[in-house]
Structures are given as structure tokens and as C-alpha cells.
Amino acid sequence: MKRYFPILSWLPNYKKSYLSGDISAGITVGIMLIPQGMAYAMIAGLPPVFGLYAALIPQVIYAIMGTSRQLAIGPVAMDSLLIASGLGALSLTGINEYISMAIFLALFIGVIQVLLGFLKMGFLVNFLSKPVISGFTSAAALIIGITQLKHLLGISVTSNKTLQIIQQTLDQLDLINPVAVAVGISGILIMLLVKRIHSQIPAAIVVVILGIALAYFTPITDYDLKLVGKIPEGLPDFRIPNIPWTSLGDIFTLALAMSLIAFMEVVSIGKALEEKLKSNTINANQELIALGTGNILGSFFQCYPTTAGFSRTAVNFQAGAKTGVAAFISASLVALTLLFLTPVFYYLPNAILASIIMLAIRSLIDLKYPKELCKNQKDEFVLLMATFFITLLVGIQEGIILGVLFSLLLMVYRTSKPHMAVLGQIKGTTYFKNINRFSTDIIDRKDILVVRFDAQLFFGNKDYFYKQLKRHIKAKGYDLKTIIINAEAINYIDSSAIYILKFLILELRQRDLTLMIAAATGPTRDILFKTGVVDLLGAENLFVRVVEAVEYVEGVHPRTEIEDRVSRQKY
């Protein structure tokens, strides 16, 4: 029970000293959640109240089942954008069907996450490399900003595609509402000013209050300034989500991508917190179960998909949150807002919500990391830029899927042509180093070739290994008698590579050349024994260290009985 419900571990040990920090953090995050939730629901194409619904059940469930005590769960910009992009591509008839599909998506995603958690599939997040995440996130942030232009400019845009949104915006430049622009820009400037005065002041709620007051007490709405409008009062009802059986195939890719992205956000934020707290509590598989359960139960209370928010988690941590009690407090604050304050939000201008989003996306755009990659690792820079432009110009789902595919192809390409170094003995030592790096201090013998292959040996690089070794053998000339493979970096050898090794041993033997293997790790030696390579090679040609192989060839260090026994047995 404690494994699946970590609250049973920390709640009995709760200290009074934690309470002040939890209350402060809970109130602060709750205040942030109210305008943010409404704004993010707008990104998703949903009525603002659904952002408040999504801020209730999922964060309470995570506080009970999650392995991090400071993560702030709720609606986020990234998931909201994915929903708008994915559902916008479907042929849905009206807002009610759109809402129904968004709620079902939370259920679908939750089921996938729980299933992945029970199957111990948390490692899948490792396939989302940092260049892919950075490129995708930066592009998504720009798309979010572009989708909010219609609210900031006071115009009407019907498309969900980036280029079409830009085109429709440019076509309506003469219809821009200067009042909406002034309100939106003022909101951004006020938030920047508030943050400059004191970073702990909830700038978003300040501009929300000012925006509501402006619309209520002045005739500014007479200038066609669009408001949020009527928000249903009260807590969300319990409803069983409608399952669109005919559309399951269409949204499966979206649900799977969002499941992994949401999980990636939770784990990456959680790991960053662990470094600050000097702790190690994050359990990837339990995080999947907690996040998925929150989405499943939330879908029965009209929640759309949720995950951890970067900014809210940072605020939660900085405000002094010690446990999940902070999440209970922030959820209670949102519930009180739904019960008593929804009529107030009728007068909230859409331009104010757009300004909150515009300012929030700044943290998602990373310029420093691409510069580092461009300077030091060109191939990963190309991967980042490819993901960025595909996401920006083609689509959200296509960007993340093709980004992951390209990163895997890059990995396969690297492992298919790994580094192979020719080694020489450093004068006066027993060390063997790359002759290209230590050319002046190396003993480069004509009769012995020592090579090191810096990767596992498998079907993808066996031919490269064979060709490179033959090239180095040819370069040595006719004086060559012995080839020594330094296998310390070879952590695995598959059946295809075993075939090449056996073929190589027989080929070299016909040319009166001796092949030796040195410094193989235990698992690699096991493979060499089990597959019969050692029988063909000869146990006398298997060494623990390269220097022993060289000295054996020279006759300086003949084998002792113990060394001979070691070479003939597995580690």
C-alpha cells in the first residue's frame, strides 16, 4: 500500500514545522492556478472553466500517489496546445463534442500511463533526447504565442495551423482592436513590473483583478473588448466520459505522444527538484501510475489532461512546500473560487488571459542550449533545428514523433561507425594510448598491431569493424605478425559479430597472423566462451591486460600457471 500510496509513508511523520510552508505554498500556487488554468483552457480550445476543473482532482490524486512532495500538477500550456492541435484536426461537430473528446482524451491518456507504469515502462522517456525536447518545446512555445494573437489583437481566427493562423492574422490587420492590444500589452508590462518589485507577488492574479475592475467600472467593453463571459458556478459534476469508439484509432497517436510528454515533464521537473533537495524519491513507474490515475479519475469530473507545471512547481518549492498538503490547500482554493467567485470572472478580458500566456511562454524558449550545440555538437544541433521547424511548420505530433525517430537514427548512425583507435605503448610505462594523440611518446612497433574498438560489436557495425581492422592491418605492411584487440570498451557482442570474429580468426590464420583479445570485461568473456570463439582463438590468446599480450609475444613475460588458468575461465 505504501508503494502505491506514498502518502501513507509521509503523512504519519508530518511535522508541525512543515505546516506554515505548506499553507504559504498552497495559497500561492492556488492563486496562480486560477488565471493560469483559465488561460491554458483557452489554448486547448475549451471554455475557461475547464481549466479550473483540471486544477482540482488530478493534483489531489497526485498528492496521495506521487513520489515527489513538491510537484504542482494541473493544466499546462504544452498539453493544452497538443489538445488543440490534435482535436482540431478531427471532424468534430460543435463545442460540446470537442469538450467531450478532450475529457475522453484525459481518460485515454490516464489508461495508457497506468498501463505503462504497471508494465515498468518508465524507461521509455529516455528516448526523448534533450535536443528533441528543446526543439519541440521552443517551437511549441512559439505556436502557443501565435495562437493567442487573436485574443491580444481582438480579431477572429478559425484555423489551428500555424501558417494559416499567421496568414489569417495578416489578412485582418485592418480589423485589429486597439483597445484589446492596449489591455494585453498593459497586462504584460504590469506583470513585468510586479515581478521586478518582488518575485513572490502573484503577478498574474494582480492583472486579473485589474482587468476585471477595468471592465466592470469603466465603459471599455463598449469598444468591442471581448470578455470571458459566464462561467458555470459550482464544482464539476460526476459524469462518465463518452467513449468515441469510431475515433479511437485517430486519437491513439495523440494520446500516446501526450502520455509520454506529460510523463517526461513530471520526471524532468521531479529530478531537478531532487538535485536541489539532495534527495532521491522519484520512482518513474509510480509516477506514471500516479499521473495516470489522476487523469482517469479527473475525466469523471470533466477534467482535460494534466501534468506537472514548470513555473507552478518552482513557485511551490520556493514558497516553502514540504509535502502534498500544499496541493490539498491549492485545490481547496480553486474549489472555493468555483463555488463563490465565478460571477466575478465574467468581466475578465480575454486579452488579459492572452497576456498571461504570452509572458509564461518566455521560460519555454531556450536559446542558450542551441548555441552550445552549434558550437560543440553540430549533428545534435541539426537534430534540434529539424525538430523545431517540423513542429512549427508541419505539426505538433509530427514534430515530436519525427524528432524521436531522427534521434534514434542518429544513435544508430553513431553506433554503426564508432571510433577505432590504433594504440601504442607509452615509453617507460605499461599504458597503451592512441598513437594519434601521443605520437611523440609512443612505441609504434611494426610487428604488433593493437586496436581498440569503442562500442559494442553488433550487426550494425560488424562490417565497419572488419573493414577498419583490415585497413589498419594493410597499413602495417609485411612485418606484421600479431593483432591484439583491446576489448575493454566492447560491452556486448551479438551473433552477427561473433560470425565475423570467427571468420576473421580463420582468415588471419591462413596468412600466418595471430589474433589476440585483451582486457575483455566479464560479460564479454562469457559471450566469447559460450559461442566458441575462445575455442577457435585459443585460450592462450586471451589476456587480462594488453601489456601482458605484448610481453607474451616478446617472450619477456611467459604465462604462469595461474595466468593460464585465468585466461581459460569465465569471470
Side-chain angles (χ1 to χ4, degrees):
M1 290 290 287
K2 287 182 178 179
R3 183 174 65 177
Y4 292 114
F5 299 96
I7 191 174
L8 299 176
S9 296
W10 59 260
L11 191 58
N13 300 315
Y14 193 83
K15 299 177 182 178
K16 285 185 178 179
S17 59
Y18 295 165
L19 192 58
S20 60
D22 283 340
I23 292 174
S24 173
I27 292 173
T28 305
V29 172
I31 291 172
M32 279 187 70
L33 259 174
I34 295 165
Q36 275 192 355
M38 297 171 70
Y40 295 156
M42 284 176 55
I43 296 176
L46 297 167
V49 71
F50 285 90
L52 300 180
Y53 293 163
L56 286 174
I57 303 298
Q59 67 168 328
V60 171
I61 298 300
Y62 183 84
I64 296 170
M65 301 183 67
T67 55
S68 172
R69 301 181 191 179
Q70 284 85 22
L71 277 183
I73 301 296
V76 297
M78 187 78 72
D79 280 22
S80 300
L81 178 62
L82 285 166
I83 291 168
S85 173
L87 298 187
L90 302 178
S91 301
L92 301 178
T93 57
I95 186 63
N96 290 332
E97 187 180 0
Y98 187 93
I99 293 170
S100 178
M101 188 68 80
I103 293 171
F104 169 73
L105 194 59
L107 175 63
F108 199 178
I109 289 170
V111 170
I112 292 173
Q113 288 171 334
V114 169
L115 186 62
L116 292 175
F118 279 116
L119 293 176
K120 311 293 184 186
M121 302 293 282
F123 69 90
L124 285 174
V125 74
N126 296 330
F127 289 100
L128 292 169
S129 65
K130 186 168 175 59
V132 170
I133 294 169
S134 179
F136 172 76
T137 304
S138 296
L142 285 178
I143 294 173
I144 290 170
I146 291 169
T147 60
Q148 294 308 298
L149 284 176
K150 61 182 179 182
H151 299 298
L152 203 63
L153 301 177
I155 59 177
S156 177
V157 175
T158 57
S159 177
N160 287 316
K161 298 290 184 181
T162 306
L163 294 178
Q164 293 176 7
I165 291 173
I166 295 172
Q167 183 61 52
Q168 289 185 21
T169 302
L170 293 175
D171 292 341
Q172 299 181 71
L173 290 178
D174 57 330
L175 300 177
I176 289 176
N177 185 344
V179 174
V181 175
V183 170
I185 293 177
S186 298
I188 294 173
L189 294 175
I190 290 171
M191 284 187 286
L192 289 173
L193 180 62
V194 169
K195 286 297 181 184
R196 194 176 185 85
I197 294 171
H198 199 293
S199 61
Q200 296 298 320
I201 299 175
I205 203 71
V206 170
V207 296
V208 165
I209 293 171
L210 293 175
I212 291 172
L214 182 70
Y216 184 80
F217 292 108
T218 70
I220 197 169
T221 53
D222 296 340
Y223 298 94
D224 200 27
L225 180 67
K226 292 182 174 62
L227 305 179
V228 167
K230 182 175 175 57
I231 295 176
E233 191 174 351
L235 299 176
D237 299 328
F238 176 86
R239 297 179 187 175
I240 297 175
N242 295 322
I243 302 177
W245 298 106
T246 57
S247 302
L248 284 181
D250 296 331
I251 63 172
F252 174 74
T253 305
L254 173 64
L256 182 60
M258 287 187 65
S259 299
L260 293 177
I261 291 169
F263 172 56
M264 176 269 295
E265 289 174 331
V266 166
V267 172
S268 60
I269 298 170
K271 292 292 185 185
L273 278 177
E274 279 189 341
E275 291 180 9
K276 293 182 178 180
L277 294 168
K278 308 297 181 186
S279 65
N280 186 24
T281 62
I282 295 292
N283 181 315
N285 294 313
Q286 178 58 25
E287 288 295 291
L288 274 170
I289 295 171
L291 198 59
T293 304
N295 278 319
I296 291 172
L297 295 180
S299 69
F300 288 93
F301 292 91
Q302 303 177 60
C303 297
Y304 75 95
T306 57
T307 185
F310 288 91
S311 58
R312 288 196 303 272
T313 298
V315 169
N316 196 39
F317 173 72
Q318 291 168 3
K322 301 296 182 184
T323 68
V325 169
F328 290 111
I329 294 170
S330 60
S332 301
L333 197 61
V334 175
L336 290 173
T337 301
L338 282 167
L339 287 170
F340 304 111
L341 297 179
T342 52
V344 175
F345 288 102
Y346 177 93
Y347 296 94
L348 178 61
N350 284 339
I352 290 293
L353 290 178
S355 69
I356 293 171
I357 294 168
M358 287 290 192
L359 203 61
I361 64 173
R362 290 189 311 162
S363 61
L364 296 176
I365 300 175
D366 186 359
L367 298 177
K368 184 179 178 182
Y369 183 64
K371 288 179 181 178
E372 291 177 359
L373 289 184
C374 184
K375 184 178 179 181
N376 302 316
Q377 293 172 292
K378 294 286 194 280
D379 52 355
E380 293 197 38
F381 174 74
V382 172
L383 173 62
L384 185 151
M385 296 307 296
T387 305
F388 175 83
F389 283 112
I390 292 171
T391 303
L392 187 64
L393 302 176
V394 180
I396 299 290
Q397 294 180 66
E398 291 84 353
I400 192 67
I401 292 171
L402 290 176
V404 170
L405 179 61
F406 290 156
S407 64
L408 292 176
L409 289 174
L410 179 61
M411 180 188 70
V412 170
Y413 175 77
R414 285 174 176 169
T415 55
S416 68
K417 293 187 176 181
H419 181 247
M420 178 182 274
V422 176
L423 308 181
Q425 188 172 2
I426 296 180
K427 297 173 183 178
T429 72
T430 59
Y431 296 109
F432 285 77
K433 299 293 181 181
N434 190 333
I435 61 173
N436 293 326
R437 291 176 178 268
F438 300 87
S439 56
T440 57
D441 301 318
I442 288 290
I443 302 172
D444 187 14
R445 297 180 49 156
K446 298 293 184 183
D447 60 331
I448 299 176
L449 171 65
V450 183
V451 296
R452 188 187 68 232
F453 193 69
D454 295 334
Q456 62 172 296
L457 197 52
F458 73 116
F459 66 90
N461 60 25
K462 61 178 177 59
D463 293 330
Y464 177 79
F465 166 80
Y466 177 77
K467 290 176 181 177
Q468 287 295 101
L469 186 60
K470 292 292 293 291
R471 182 173 69 85
H472 292 308
I473 290 172
K474 184 177 180 180
K476 278 288 184 180
Y478 295 104
D479 294 329
L480 181 64
K481 300 297 180 186
T482 305
I483 298 100
I484 302 172
I485 297 176
N486 180 347
E488 62 183 334
I490 302 175
N491 56 17
Y492 183 76
I493 306 175
D494 74 355
S495 59
S496 302
I498 289 294
Y499 175 81
I500 284 291
L501 275 179
K502 289 181 177 179
F503 178 80
L504 185 63
I505 293 168
L506 294 174
E507 183 184 27
L508 294 177
R509 189 173 294 166
Q510 289 179 351
R511 296 175 54 185
D512 293 327
L513 295 173
T514 302
L515 181 67
M516 295 179 175
I517 298 177
T521 61
T524 304
R525 286 170 66 94
D526 289 345
I527 294 171
L528 295 176
F529 274 95
K530 288 177 183 177
T531 56
V533 172
V534 173
D535 295 333
L536 195 61
L537 179 73
E540 68 278 5
N541 292 321
L542 193 63
F543 294 85
V544 175
R545 296 191 302 160
V546 174
V547 67
E548 293 172 4
V550 173
E551 290 177 350
Y552 178 74
V553 172
E554 294 173 338
V556 174
H557 183 74
R559 283 181 183 273
T560 65
E561 182 181 343
I562 294 176
E563 288 172 332
D564 192 56
R565 193 185 313 146
V566 168
S567 70
R568 292 175 184 275
Q569 67 185 9
K570 303 176 187 178
Y571 275 6

